Amino acid sequence: MNHPPDHIIIEKTLGGDVNAFAILVDRYKQLVFTLTIRMIKQREEAEEIAQDVFLKAFQKLQSFKGDSKFSTWLYRITYNACLDALSRKRNSPTHHAYEIHDNVLSITTPEIEAQIDAQYERAEVVQCIALLPQADAFLITLYYLHEQSLEEIAQIIGLTKNNTKVKLFRIRKKLFIIMQSRLPQEIKMRYEK
Amino acid sequence: MKNEQEQALDRWSAKHIKEAGVEQPSSDFTAQVMQAVEKASEKPVLVYKPLISRIGWLCIAFTVCALLAYTLFTSTSLETSIGVSRSVEQQLEQLTFLPLDLEWQVPSSLTYGMLAVALWMGLEISLGKKRFQ
């Protein structure tokens, strides 16, 4: 099956073939929607925002100069759209505050990791990610799922590469604590003895 | 040691995030986006059209010129006087009796012209309203 690169489709779209844009929508809709739902945490609203993201991308396509990857540019639009939506909502945060201690890593053992791995199904992992603060959930998904480089992520969220690295490390720890805290009590007690 | 632990946490996070996978939007997601995109890409249908066409302006110009010519060449004497050297007192005195002495002489052509303009304005306003509604 022929998969034309992004820049070819962009050229076609800008040349007047509006339907060519559908290829880009199909190519990135899952990733954009996943990022949106991780941040917004509400399916219907996330879908509306994701659709708006593509519409904005289409309207601003002329301004895309190709300095970065199309996906990086698109994720930046997604991130800003989510931030706008969250600032409009001004609801109380939907995540719980989890304290991060420096000794988190020292208390983890391969056994606990193995227990977590065995315990968690996909849906539960998704629930744990949803407990992360909105921007953190976005960031960690972008890094691991979309395999964006640190430079690209820094560009998307407007931070330096080093800050992004530190932020990612803290998010990983938060996710680990969340998953660990949701383990059944008996498993935790077994390792605390 | 710490670096190793960080790497372990990195591998562990990658495993779980990948396990969580991507979310599926609704089946008509692309169709809905493309519908909005097509709507946005449509050029505005409203094309500028002057309220008074070129022919309309030519007719108006012709009428005005004709009225002007008629006024200039057919009207009888219509005297105007401007008091340049009169004193303020004289002017005030004149003003006091002005309403009594004044005789309005409006040429008939001017009356017809004003009537025509009023008629045209009324017509234009009603037609314009109809068009914009």
Side-chain angles (χ1 to χ4, degrees), chain B residues 42-124:
Chain B
E42 277 172 14
K43 289 192 170 58
V45 183
L46 192 70
V47 181
Y48 174 71
K49 214 173 178 181
L51 193 64
I52 301 166
S53 65
R54 190 181 288 265
I55 296 167
W57 279 116
L58 282 171
C59 289
I60 292 163
F62 178 75
T63 313
V64 170
C65 287
L67 284 172
L68 204 68
Y70 179 75
T71 315
L72 283 173
F73 297 115
T74 60
S75 64
T76 50
S77 60
L78 183 71
E79 288 177 4
T80 54
S81 62
I82 302 165
V84 182
S85 59
R86 286 178 184 174
S87 66
V88 177
E89 280 178 9
Q90 278 176 325
Q91 283 190 31
L92 282 171
E93 203 175 326
Q94 180 83 13
L95 276 174
T96 317
F97 298 104
L98 193 64
L100 297 172
D101 293 347
L102 187 72
E103 280 183 28
W104 287 97
Q105 289 184 342
V106 182
S108 53
S109 56
L110 185 65
T111 315
Y112 295 141
M114 283 171 74
L115 277 170
V117 169
L119 190 73
W120 166 75
M121 277 180 73
L123 205 67
E124 273 299 316

Side-chain angles (χ1 to χ4, degrees), chain A residues 67-123:
Chain A
D67 302 332
S68 60
K69 283 200 285 187
F70 175 72
S71 58
T72 307
W73 183 74
L74 188 65
Y75 297 150
R76 184 162 179 78
I77 297 176
T78 310
Y79 183 68
N80 288 333
C82 290
L83 285 182
D84 283 349
L86 289 172
S87 67
R88 275 199 306 272
K89 274 168 79 178
R90 288 183 187 174
N91 282 346
S92 56
T94 52
H95 65 274
H96 304 287
Y98 285 90
E99 280 187 33
I100 304 170
H101 302 292
D102 286 339
N103 61 350
V104 170
L105 293 176
S106 63
I107 58 162
T108 65
T109 64
E111 288 81 11
I112 285 193
E113 282 180 31
Q115 278 296 336
I116 292 175
D117 292 350
Q119 187 72 28
Y120 282 94
E121 296 292 327
R122 183 197 173 264

Side-chain angles (χ1 to χ4, degrees), chain A residues 2-191:
Chain A
N2 192 20
H3 295 290
D6 290 352
H7 69 93
I8 299 287
I9 302 165
I10 291 166
E11 276 170 24
K12 274 177 94 174
T13 309
L14 290 174
D17 184 3
V18 178
N19 289 330
F21 191 72
I23 302 170
L24 288 176
V25 178
D26 273 333
R27 190 170 288 172
Y28 291 104
K29 66 179 178 186
Q30 287 179 337
L31 304 177
V32 168
F33 179 60
T34 307
L35 287 172
T36 316
I37 205 167
R38 294 276 189 271
M39 203 153 166
I40 301 296
K41 300 173 195 293
Q42 246 187 325
R43 200 173 175 86
E44 290 77 20
E45 202 184 343
E47 185 150 330
E48 262 178 46
I49 293 166
Q51 286 177 3
D52 279 349
V53 165
F54 282 108
L55 185 61
K56 269 184 201 164
F58 174 77
Q59 287 167 333
K60 291 181 179 177
L61 204 57
Q62 203 94 40
S63 69
F64 175 65
K65 303 291 176 204
D67 302 332
S68 60
K69 283 200 285 187
F70 175 72
S71 58
T72 307
W73 183 74
L74 188 65
Y75 297 150
R76 184 162 179 78
I77 297 176
T78 310
Y79 183 68
N80 288 333
C82 290
L83 285 182
D84 283 349
L86 289 172
S87 67
R88 275 199 306 272
K89 274 168 79 178
R90 288 183 187 174
N91 282 346
S92 56
T94 52
H95 65 274
H96 304 287
Y98 285 90
E99 280 187 33
I100 304 170
H101 302 292
D102 286 339
N103 61 350
V104 170
L105 293 176
S106 63
I107 58 162
T108 65
T109 64
E111 288 81 11
I112 285 193
E113 282 180 31
Q115 278 296 336
I116 292 175
D117 292 350
Q119 187 72 28
Y120 282 94
E121 296 292 327
R122 183 197 173 264
E124 283 161 335
V125 175
V126 171
Q127 272 179 20
C128 291
I129 297 169
L131 289 170
L132 284 169
Q134 290 96 340
D136 290 358
F138 183 96
L139 202 59
I140 201 162
T141 308
L142 199 60
Y143 185 68
Y144 287 111
L145 199 59
H146 300 198
E147 291 176 342
Q148 297 273 301
S149 70
L150 274 176
E151 286 90 350
E152 285 167 336
I153 293 178
Q155 208 180 329
I156 290 165
I157 60 169
L159 287 177
T160 62
K161 190 183 160 187
N162 275 342
N163 282 348
T164 310
K165 197 176 173 183
V166 172
K167 211 170 162 56
L168 268 168
F169 178 64
R170 293 180 71 82
I171 299 167
R172 273 181 225 128
K173 280 206 241 176
K174 267 187 219 170
L175 183 65
F176 188 84
I177 295 167
I178 291 169
M179 289 178 86
Q180 199 184 18
S181 69
R182 287 165 68 91
L183 274 178
Q185 198 60 31
E186 65 269 23
I187 297 174
K188 274 196 282 185
M189 280 173 70
R190 204 187 313 156
Y191 292 103

